[in-house]
PDB file of all heavy atoms in Angstrom:
ATOM      1  N   ALA A 524     -62.729  91.865 198.011  1.00 67.00           N
ATOM      2  CA  ALA A 524     -63.309  92.167 199.318  1.00 67.00           C
ATOM      3  C   ALA A 524     -64.807  92.448 199.218  1.00 67.00           C
ATOM      4  O   ALA A 524     -65.549  92.274 200.197  1.00 67.00           O
ATOM      5  CB  ALA A 524     -62.589  93.361 199.951  1.00 67.00           C
ATOM      6  N   ARG A 525     -65.261  92.883 198.044  1.00 69.00           N
ATOM      7  CA  ARG A 525     -66.694  93.189 197.866  1.00 69.00           C
ATOM      8  C   ARG A 525     -67.525  91.944 197.575  1.00 69.00           C
ATOM      9  O   ARG A 525     -68.740  91.992 197.577  1.00 69.00           O
ATOM     10  CB  ARG A 525     -66.863  94.202 196.738  1.00 69.00           C
ATOM     11  CG  ARG A 525     -66.301  95.586 197.078  1.00 69.00           C
ATOM     12  CD  ARG A 525     -66.857  96.647 196.147  1.00 69.00           C
ATOM     13  NE  ARG A 525     -66.504  96.391 194.760  1.00 69.00           N
ATOM     14  CZ  ARG A 525     -65.416  96.916 194.167  1.00 69.00           C
ATOM     15  NH1 ARG A 525     -64.604  97.691 194.868  1.00 69.00           N
ATOM     16  NH2 ARG A 525     -65.170  96.654 192.894  1.00 69.00           N
ATOM     17  N   PHE A 526     -66.830  90.812 197.308  1.00 65.00           N
ATOM     18  CA  PHE A 526     -67.572  89.587 197.039  1.00 65.00           C
ATOM     19  C   PHE A 526     -68.205  89.072 198.319  1.00 65.00           C
ATOM     20  O   PHE A 526     -67.572  89.023 199.372  1.00 65.00           O
ATOM     21  CB  PHE A 526     -66.641  88.507 196.459  1.00 65.00           C
ATOM     22  CG  PHE A 526     -66.243  88.782 195.033  1.00 65.00           C
ATOM     23  CD1 PHE A 526     -65.245  88.021 194.432  1.00 65.00           C
ATOM     24  CD2 PHE A 526     -66.858  89.773 194.292  1.00 65.00           C
ATOM     25  CE1 PHE A 526     -64.859  88.261 193.122  1.00 65.00           C
ATOM     26  CE2 PHE A 526     -66.490  90.020 192.985  1.00 65.00           C
ATOM     27  CZ  PHE A 526     -65.487  89.267 192.389  1.00 65.00           C
ATOM     28  N   GLN A 527     -69.453  88.683 198.214  1.00 60.00           N
ATOM     29  CA  GLN A 527     -70.155  88.134 199.374  1.00 60.00           C
ATOM     30  C   GLN A 527     -69.924  86.623 199.496  1.00 60.00           C
ATOM     31  O   GLN A 527     -69.950  86.073 200.588  1.00 60.00           O
ATOM     32  CB  GLN A 527     -71.661  88.426 199.275  1.00 60.00           C
ATOM     33  CG  GLN A 527     -71.999  89.912 199.229  1.00 60.00           C
ATOM     34  CD  GLN A 527     -71.590  90.621 200.508  1.00 60.00           C
ATOM     35  OE1 GLN A 527     -71.659  90.047 201.596  1.00 60.00           O
ATOM     36  NE2 GLN A 527     -71.198  91.882 200.373  1.00 60.00           N
ATOM     37  N   GLY A 528     -69.680  85.957 198.370  1.00 63.00           N
ATOM     38  CA  GLY A 528     -69.526  84.512 198.385  1.00 63.00           C
ATOM     39  C   GLY A 528     -68.129  84.097 198.837  1.00 63.00           C
ATOM     40  O   GLY A 528     -67.206  84.916 198.991  1.00 63.00           O
ATOM     41  N   ASP A 529     -68.029  82.802 199.058  1.00 74.00           N
ATOM     42  CA  ASP A 529     -66.752  82.245 199.493  1.00 74.00           C
ATOM     43  C   ASP A 529     -65.820  82.116 198.295  1.00 74.00           C
ATOM     44  O   ASP A 529     -66.203  81.574 197.252  1.00 74.00           O
ATOM     45  CB  ASP A 529     -66.981  80.878 200.149  1.00 74.00           C
ATOM     46  CG  ASP A 529     -65.725  80.383 200.850  1.00 74.00           C
ATOM     47  OD1 ASP A 529     -64.872  81.222 201.178  1.00 74.00           O
ATOM     48  OD2 ASP A 529     -65.605  79.154 201.053  1.00 74.00           O
ATOM     49  N   LEU A 530     -64.576  82.605 198.454  1.00 73.00           N
ATOM     50  CA  LEU A 530     -63.609  82.573 197.362  1.00 73.00           C
ATOM     51  C   LEU A 530     -63.007  81.175 197.235  1.00 73.00           C
ATOM     52  O   LEU A 530     -62.886  80.441 198.223  1.00 73.00           O
ATOM     53  CB  LEU A 530     -62.496  83.587 197.617  1.00 73.00           C
ATOM     54  CG  LEU A 530     -62.910  85.057 197.628  1.00 73.00           C
ATOM     55  CD1 LEU A 530     -61.737  85.938 198.018  1.00 73.00           C
ATOM     56  CD2 LEU A 530     -63.447  85.472 196.261  1.00 73.00           C
ATOM     57  N   PRO A 531     -62.572  80.796 196.039  1.00 75.00           N
ATOM     58  CA  PRO A 531     -61.899  79.496 195.860  1.00 75.00           C
ATOM     59  C   PRO A 531     -60.596  79.452 196.656  1.00 75.00           C
ATOM     60  O   PRO A 531     -59.981  80.482 196.942  1.00 75.00           O
ATOM     61  CB  PRO A 531     -61.640  79.437 194.348  1.00 75.00           C
ATOM     62  CG  PRO A 531     -62.569  80.448 193.758  1.00 75.00           C
ATOM     63  CD  PRO A 531     -62.754  81.518 194.772  1.00 75.00           C
ATOM     64  N   MET A 532     -60.174  78.254 196.995  1.00 79.00           N
ATOM     65  CA  MET A 532     -58.959  78.085 197.795  1.00 79.00           C
ATOM     66  C   MET A 532     -57.719  78.677 197.127  1.00 79.00           C
ATOM     67  O   MET A 532     -56.917  79.343 197.793  1.00 79.00           O
ATOM     68  CB  MET A 532     -58.753  76.596 198.096  1.00 79.00           C
ATOM     69  CG  MET A 532     -57.528  76.317 198.973  1.00 79.00           C
ATOM     70  SD  MET A 532     -57.541  77.228 200.550  1.00 79.00           S
ATOM     71  CE  MET A 532     -58.967  76.450 201.332  1.00 79.00           C
ATOM     72  N   PRO A 533     -57.480  78.467 195.812  1.00 79.00           N
ATOM     73  CA  PRO A 533     -56.294  79.094 195.197  1.00 79.00           C
ATOM     74  C   PRO A 533     -56.291  80.610 195.348  1.00 79.00           C
ATOM     75  O   PRO A 533     -55.233  81.215 195.553  1.00 79.00           O
ATOM     76  CB  PRO A 533     -56.408  78.672 193.721  1.00 79.00           C
ATOM     77  CG  PRO A 533     -57.206  77.423 193.751  1.00 79.00           C
ATOM     78  CD  PRO A 533     -58.190  77.603 194.854  1.00 79.00           C
ATOM     79  N   THR A 534     -57.474  81.241 195.241  1.00 76.00           N
ATOM     80  CA  THR A 534     -57.559  82.690 195.410  1.00 76.00           C
ATOM     81  C   THR A 534     -57.226  83.093 196.838  1.00 76.00           C
ATOM     82  O   THR A 534     -56.543  84.095 197.080  1.00 76.00           O
ATOM     83  CB  THR A 534     -58.957  83.196 195.027  1.00 76.00           C
ATOM     84  OG1 THR A 534     -59.282  82.742 193.712  1.00 76.00           O
ATOM     85  CG2 THR A 534     -59.015  84.704 195.058  1.00 76.00           C
ATOM     86  N   LYS A 535     -57.702  82.323 197.807  1.00 77.00           N
ATOM     87  CA  LYS A 535     -57.396  82.602 199.219  1.00 77.00           C
ATOM     88  C   LYS A 535     -55.887  82.501 199.479  1.00 77.00           C
ATOM     89  O   LYS A 535     -55.319  83.324 200.202  1.00 77.00           O
ATOM     90  CB  LYS A 535     -58.152  81.635 200.124  1.00 77.00           C
ATOM     91  CG  LYS A 535     -59.653  81.854 200.171  1.00 77.00           C
ATOM     92  CD  LYS A 535     -60.296  80.868 201.127  1.00 77.00           C
ATOM     93  CE  LYS A 535     -61.797  81.089 201.234  1.00 77.00           C
ATOM     94  NZ  LYS A 535     -62.446  80.132 202.155  1.00 77.00           N
ATOM     95  N   VAL A 536     -55.270  81.496 198.905  1.00 79.00           N
ATOM     96  CA  VAL A 536     -53.820  81.333 199.079  1.00 79.00           C
ATOM     97  C   VAL A 536     -53.077  82.509 198.463  1.00 79.00           C
ATOM     98  O   VAL A 536     -52.111  83.038 199.037  1.00 79.00           O
ATOM     99  CB  VAL A 536     -53.355  80.006 198.434  1.00 79.00           C
ATOM    100  CG1 VAL A 536     -51.841  79.910 198.436  1.00 79.00           C
ATOM    101  CG2 VAL A 536     -53.961  78.820 199.173  1.00 79.00           C
ATOM    102  N   LEU A 537     -53.537  82.962 197.301  1.00 77.00           N
ATOM    103  CA  LEU A 537     -52.904  84.098 196.634  1.00 77.00           C
ATOM    104  C   LEU A 537     -53.043  85.369 197.472  1.00 77.00           C
ATOM    105  O   LEU A 537     -52.084  86.147 197.621  1.00 77.00           O
ATOM    106  CB  LEU A 537     -53.534  84.295 195.261  1.00 77.00           C
ATOM    107  CG  LEU A 537     -52.715  85.059 194.218  1.00 77.00           C
ATOM    108  CD1 LEU A 537     -51.394  84.368 193.955  1.00 77.00           C
ATOM    109  CD2 LEU A 537     -53.511  85.184 192.929  1.00 77.00           C
TER     110      LEU A 537
END
Side-chain angles (χ1 to χ4, degrees):
R525 292 198 299 267
F526 287 170
Q527 300 297 325
D529 191 22
L530 295 175
M532 182 56 66
T534 306
K535 290 182 178 180
V536 172
L537 202 59

